[in-house]
């Protein structure tokens, strides 16, 4: 396992460019399986999870060519279907949660799709029911090999559109069902569909390939099935979770940082939510400027004076991927805040590491933590810790960069899964961080 060594307590300054969105990339890359024509994708982040998926696609027979920084062409005209029954596929698919999204396009185009139980973050139960219930509504037969933990769906006579009301607005579940439905016969209506920017981008890409999807951006999608899709060119959005991470980093280290080309129109309530903690988020064209918070930042209260509550919700609510960042930033705020992580019951368990650093946090239960801010009157103390997942990992890194002394973070592969060239980019704005292999 790799290790970061961080000398904290330094002010940072300068500009940082967000990478392409990880969560969008995982969906978009799976969509290349829907056509035998060439698909060109730009702004693909060079991160572990995305590179694993590209490797899986290559093993499946997709012709992949790197044509520039973050730009690739994909051609899925001669796939090796035997790979789906191989031991190597069990290894490749089982190590990446995003691999579940190859099932929808494979089912829609070839009438069958398989996947081992996928891996990913250990942040609590992450059910796949929404995916497979959607496929079955489209007419697919479902099977599950419990001993080998292997899922499969087959539709030898093709898929047929239907109405479905999703039990949960799952982003990956909606994406998977949409990718299957675009090649189904007739009309598919998906109510309570996820409408995150990642999903909007996927639908726009599919429409540019010849699909007929309406209601994009809402929770009611209507899909008129088509017989065939063609190639396209698509550019991935900047990663809104990384943008939020850099906002939190700037505030915690009292740094003056500009985040470039953020695509403001797709950030939703992220800037507003940071402002609830008293952080100044300035719009400069399509950039975000975070000035140095010399006097700290004060948590707002609700109109009736009750404690501020920041919680996650399906889009356009606040993304759960940024709650760990909000929690860390709150440790130096003036005032108190309740962080309510509704969607994953294990995602707040990293707070013991922050408590070891001197943070005042009460873990109320697996979903809620109350943070009493230090108002920078007491600096966090450096320590040695291990990253449990991507978002907790970046949160601990932010804490370490603000802390007094030198911290060590192990298992940094978790951070590499979601953040591109993070050492070099942070060093570029003045961070004292090194990678120890």
């Amino acid at each position: 396992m790799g290790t970061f060594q961080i000398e904290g307590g330094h002010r940072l300054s300068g500009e940082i460019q967000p990478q392409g969105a990880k969560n969008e990339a995982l969906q978009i890359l799976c969509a290349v399986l829907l056509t035998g024509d060439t698909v060109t994708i730009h702004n693909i982040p060079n991160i572990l999870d995305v590179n694993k998926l590209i490797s899986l696609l290559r093993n499946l027979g997709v012709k992949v060519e790197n044509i520039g920084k973050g730009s690739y062409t994909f051609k899925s005209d001669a796939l090796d279907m035997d790979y789906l029954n191989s031991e190597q596929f069990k290894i490749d698919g089982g190590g990446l949660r995003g691999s579940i999204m190859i099932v929808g396009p494979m089912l829609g185009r070839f009438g069958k799709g398989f996947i081992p139980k996928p891996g990913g973050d250990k942040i609590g139960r992450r059910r796949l029911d929404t995916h497979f219930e959607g496929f079955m509504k489209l007419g697919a037969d479902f099977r599950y090999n419990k001993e080998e933990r292997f899922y499969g769906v087959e539709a030898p006579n093709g898929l047929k559109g239907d109405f479905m009301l999703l039990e949960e607005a799952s982003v990956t579940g909606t994406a998977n069902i949409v990718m299957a439905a675009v090649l189904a016969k007739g009309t598919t209506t998906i109510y309570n569909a996820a409408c995150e920017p990642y999903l909007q981008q996927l639908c726009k890409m599919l429409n540019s390939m010849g699909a007929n999807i309406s209601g994009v951006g809402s929770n009611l999608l209507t899909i008129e099935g088509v017989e065939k899709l063609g190639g396209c060119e698509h550019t991935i959005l900047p990663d809104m979770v990384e943008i939020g991470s850099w906002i939190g980093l700037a505030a915690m280290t009292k740094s003056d940082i500009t985040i470039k080309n953020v695509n403001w129109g797709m950030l939703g309530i992220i800037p507003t939510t940071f402002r609830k903690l008293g952080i100044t988020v300035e719009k400069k064209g399509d950039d975000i400027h975070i000035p140095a918070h010399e006097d700290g930042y004060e948590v707002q209260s609700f109109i009736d004076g009750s404690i501020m509550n920041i919680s996650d919700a399906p889009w356009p609510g606040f993304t759960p991927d940024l709650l760990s960042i909000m929690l860390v930033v709150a440790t130096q705020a003036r005032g108190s805040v309740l962080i309510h992580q509704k969607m994953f019951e294990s995602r707040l368990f990293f707070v013991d590491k922050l408590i070891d650093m001197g943070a005042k946090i009460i873990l109320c239960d697996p979903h809620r933590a109350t943070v009493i801010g230090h108002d920078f009157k007491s600096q966090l103390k450096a320590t040695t810790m291990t990253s449990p997942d991507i978002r907790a990992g970046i949160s601990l890194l932010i804490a370490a960069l603000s802390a007094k002394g030198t911290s060590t973070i192990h298992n940094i592969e978790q951070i590499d899964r979601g953040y591109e060239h993070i050492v070099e980019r942070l060093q570029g704005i003045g961070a004292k961080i090194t990678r120890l292999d």
Side-chain angles (χ1 to χ4, degrees):
M1 294 189 299
T3 298
F4 284 152
Q5 193 171 76
I6 304 107
E7 182 182 306
H10 297 286
R11 298 281 185 99
L12 313 178
S13 65
E15 298 179 347
I16 193 162
Q17 176 80 33
Q19 67 187 33
K22 166 186 176 280
N23 291 341
E24 179 188 340
L26 296 177
Q27 296 180 25
I28 296 301
L29 289 171
C30 293
V32 307
L33 296 170
L34 284 164
T35 178
D37 295 345
T38 300
V39 176
T40 303
I41 305 175
H42 303 292
N43 203 29
I44 296 176
N46 182 12
I47 55 177
L48 203 55
D49 274 10
V50 167
N51 293 337
K52 279 184 178 181
L53 182 55
I54 291 175
S55 177
L56 185 153
L57 293 174
R58 280 196 171 105
N59 290 340
L60 184 53
V62 179
K63 300 180 182 74
V64 182
E65 183 180 352
N66 183 201
I67 58 173
K69 185 181 184 301
S71 296
Y72 289 79
T73 61
F74 301 85
K75 193 173 179 63
S76 308
D77 59 340
L79 300 183
D80 177 13
M81 303 300 283
D82 291 337
Y83 167 68
L84 298 176
N85 296 311
S86 69
E87 289 300 315
Q88 186 60 46
F89 177 57
K90 293 178 183 177
I91 296 170
D92 295 343
L96 173 68
R97 186 164 185 84
S99 62
I100 183 63
M101 287 183 289
I102 73 167
V103 177
M106 295 296 288
L107 177 64
R109 185 175 170 200
F110 299 104
K112 57 183 177 180
F114 309 104
I115 197 72
K117 186 172 183 179
D121 286 331
K122 301 298 183 281
I123 55 176
R125 292 168 293 178
R126 305 175 76 181
R127 296 183 296 113
L128 298 175
D129 299 51
T130 299
H131 300 247
F132 292 105
E133 287 172 1
F135 296 147
M136 288 187 283
K137 285 288 285 184
L138 295 174
D141 295 322
F142 171 71
R143 59 187 176 87
Y144 175 48
N145 185 324
K146 192 171 183 179
E147 290 183 1
E148 297 187 7
R149 305 177 83 193
F150 206 76
Y151 299 90
V153 279
E154 295 183 79
N157 298 318
L159 300 174
K160 186 176 180 181
D162 200 351
F163 171 86
M164 61 186 80
L165 173 60
L166 303 188
E167 181 183 348
E168 61 173 348
S170 164
V171 178
T172 55
T174 303
N176 228 349
I177 296 166
V178 166
M179 287 188 281
V182 289
L183 293 176
K185 295 177 182 176
T187 303
T188 300
T189 304
I190 307 174
Y191 196 23
N192 195 29
C195 49
E196 272 77 355
Y198 320 126
L199 205 285
Q200 295 179 41
Q201 286 284 97
L202 174 67
C203 291
K204 290 173 184 175
M205 173 182 167
L206 294 174
N207 280 342
S208 72
M209 296 169 71
N212 186 355
I213 307 170
S214 57
V216 178
S218 75
N219 68 346
L220 180 62
L221 295 176
T222 303
I223 304 162
E224 300 292 343
V226 297
E227 290 188 3
K228 185 180 179 181
L229 295 180
C232 73
E233 188 167 354
H234 178 82
T235 300
I236 292 172
L237 289 172
D239 195 313
M240 64 180 180
V241 180
E242 191 183 90
I243 291 165
S245 302
W246 304 148
I247 295 173
L249 171 64
M252 277 285 282
T253 56
K254 292 188 174 182
S255 301
D256 189 304
I257 293 176
T258 298
I259 309 165
K260 301 293 290 182
N261 305 313
V262 299
N263 201 320
W264 267 88
M266 286 295 191
L267 293 180
I269 65 170
I270 290 173
T272 302
T273 306
F274 276 100
R275 288 170 182 145
K276 289 181 179 180
L277 290 185
I279 296 168
T280 301
V281 181
E282 298 173 347
K283 185 177 188 298
K284 302 281 188 180
D286 200 35
D287 301 339
I288 287 177
H289 176 239
I290 309 298
H293 287 69
E294 301 290 353
D295 298 321
Y297 42 91
E298 184 172 0
V299 181
Q300 298 177 6
S301 58
F302 288 113
I303 293 174
D304 63 359
S306 58
I307 185 172
M308 175 56 62
N309 182 341
I310 294 177
S311 60
D312 57 338
W315 191 268
F318 190 66
T319 173
D321 285 343
L322 279 175
L323 272 190
S324 299
I325 305 291
M326 301 300 290
L327 189 150
V328 168
V329 174
T331 63
Q332 287 295 3
R334 188 159 53 252
S336 302
V337 61
L338 175 67
I339 303 293
H340 190 174
Q341 169 61 267
K342 298 175 182 176
M343 298 175 72
F344 303 110
E345 68 268 19
S346 303
R347 215 170 203 173
L348 297 182
F349 287 170
F350 76 101
V351 300
D352 61 332
K353 301 171 178 64
L354 296 175
I355 293 169
D356 288 343
M357 298 177 78
K360 294 179 182 177
I361 303 172
I362 302 167
L363 186 60
C364 309
D365 56 46
H367 292 276
R368 296 177 302 158
T370 300
V371 185
I372 300 96
H374 282 307
D375 190 20
F376 292 99
K377 291 183 171 64
S378 175
Q379 197 172 2
L380 296 182
K381 302 183 297 290
T383 188
T384 297
M385 45 200 157
T386 299
S387 170
D389 64 72
I390 300 176
R391 307 310 174 190
I394 195 68
S395 302
L396 294 174
L397 177 53
I398 290 171
L401 286 165
S402 74
K404 183 178 182 180
T406 300
S407 294
T408 301
I409 303 178
H410 299 297
N411 195 28
I412 58 170
E413 287 80 7
Q414 289 287 354
I415 301 174
D416 288 335
R417 286 177 51 213
Y419 291 83
E420 176 180 296
H421 302 307
I422 190 165
V423 170
E424 296 80 4
R425 294 163 72 207
L426 287 176
Q427 287 174 343
I429 56 173
K432 307 294 183 183
I433 175 173
T434 55
R435 181 188 296 268
L436 308 176
D437 292 320

